[in-house]
């Protein structure tokens, strides 16, 4: 699903965890899992190489959608220090079709960076009626329960 959403870095992280836990790469579907991992790695390499150009284009774009997407790409590669400011800039710039989704993703990025207090604050700003507020409440519960 992460690949379909255009987040090959996140897909690679998920697949790597699945292979490490022996949930993927075993059994009759092992060849399919391997092909998916190879596809994710190929797309991630191409995507990561294009990120600097995407960041430049996003900065000059009219709305903040491209900034949020580029920030999410960086977060997917574990580069939260680069990704979070871009997501924040995109939210500030506005013009987002789904701003609550962007705020939800910002909260997830803060969690990935280990900043639980900022994640909590971001999750509390999610007000959407499209399910995003429900997800934010769930993330608040998860982050409150984790050390």
């Amino acid at each position: 699903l992460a690949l379909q959403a255009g987040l090959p870095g996140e897909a690679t992280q998920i697949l790597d965890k699945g292979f490490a836990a022996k949930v993927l790469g075993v059994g009759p579907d092992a060849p399919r899992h391997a092909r998916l991992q190879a596809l994710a790695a190929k797309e991630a390499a191409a995507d990561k190489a294009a990120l600097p150009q995407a960041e430049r284009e996003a900065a000059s774009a009219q709305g903040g959608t491209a900034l949020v997407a580029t920030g999410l790409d960086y977060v997917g590669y574990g580069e939260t220090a680069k990704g979070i400011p871009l997501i924040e800039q995109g939210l500030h710039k506005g013009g987002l079709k789904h701003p609550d989704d962007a705020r939800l993703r910002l909260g997830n990025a803060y969690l990935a960076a280990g900043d639980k207090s900022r994640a909590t604050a971001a999750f509390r700003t999610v007000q959407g009626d499209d399910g995003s507020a429900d997800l934010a409440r769930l993330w608040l519960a998860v982050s409150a329960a984790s050390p």
Side-chain angles (χ1 to χ4, degrees):
L1 292 174
L3 266 178
Q4 290 174 350
L7 300 168
E10 188 173 327
T12 302
Q13 284 183 14
I14 294 165
L15 288 164
D16 289 347
K17 287 179 184 178
F19 273 88
K22 305 278 190 236
V23 174
L24 298 174
V26 295
D29 287 331
R32 189 171 68 87
H33 298 160
R35 286 191 307 273
L36 183 60
Q37 187 179 38
L39 175 64
K42 179 181 174 186
E43 287 190 20
D47 184 59
K48 197 167 186 178
L51 272 179
Q53 178 64 28
E55 186 176 351
R56 286 189 293 277
E57 290 172 4
S60 63
Q62 191 76 343
T65 301
L67 283 166
V68 170
T70 304
L72 289 173
D73 279 343
Y74 276 118
V75 170
Y77 292 113
E79 296 182 42
T80 56
K82 284 182 111 173
I84 289 171
L86 292 173
I87 298 168
E88 292 171 335
Q89 288 172 29
L91 281 163
H92 181 72
K93 200 172 202 181
L96 302 173
K97 188 173 182 179
H98 302 286
D100 283 309
D101 183 53
R103 285 190 279 278
L104 181 66
R105 296 299 196 112
L106 178 61
N108 291 130
Y110 284 135
L111 282 180
D115 193 339
K116 200 169 170 181
S117 64
R118 291 179 82 185
T120 298
F123 290 138
R124 287 192 174 135
T125 66
V126 180
Q127 304 292 317
D129 60 1
D130 59 353
S132 56
D134 295 329
L135 287 171
R137 282 191 297 279
L138 288 171
W139 275 109
L140 280 168
V142 167
S143 63
S146 66

